[in-house]
Amino acid sequence: MITDFHSHVLPNIDDGSSSLEMSIEMLRMEAAQGIRRVIATPHFYPRHDSPERFLRRRAEALNRLQEAMEIEEGLPQIELAAEI
């Protein structure tokens, strides 16, 4: 299984994807390259965010994205991490 270990695919959480539509398109491009798993690594800036707030925002972004992913087959699975 090919894995992308560094992706800013979560919508509206950092300087990566700015929308659900962009996130889905990013995942389509990953799938077209044979990538089956994506590790979402949004930026965590401790000076600007508490760990609790960051984890809540990251989980909410993942939930929104996974709901949008349900209507399309063949997209990579997403796992959570962070870039610190």
Side-chain angles (χ1 to χ4, degrees):
M1 175 188 310
I2 300 175
T3 299
D4 177 352
F5 280 97
H6 185 94
S7 178
H8 295 272
V9 69
L10 296 179
N12 300 310
I13 195 165
D14 63 9
D15 60 350
S17 173
S18 60
S19 67
L20 279 173
E21 294 79 13
M22 180 183 282
S23 295
I24 295 295
E25 184 57 32
M26 290 169 72
L27 291 170
R28 286 180 187 137
M29 289 189 293
E30 300 245 29
Q33 296 175 55
I35 296 168
R36 297 294 168 248
R37 181 172 60 169
V38 172
I39 311 300
T41 54
H43 294 282
F44 171 63
Y45 299 110
R47 292 183 185 150
H48 305 307
D49 217 351
S50 69
E52 296 80 14
R53 183 173 179 271
F54 170 78
L55 293 173
R56 185 178 61 251
R57 291 176 47 240
R58 185 183 69 168
E60 290 169 356
L62 177 62
N63 288 339
R64 286 192 310 272
L65 181 53
Q66 287 179 326
E67 286 177 11
M69 291 170 64
E70 289 178 3
I71 61 172
E72 190 164 339
E73 291 184 24
L75 297 177
Q77 70 183 48
I78 300 175
E79 295 184 30
L80 292 177
E83 181 176 349
I84 300 172

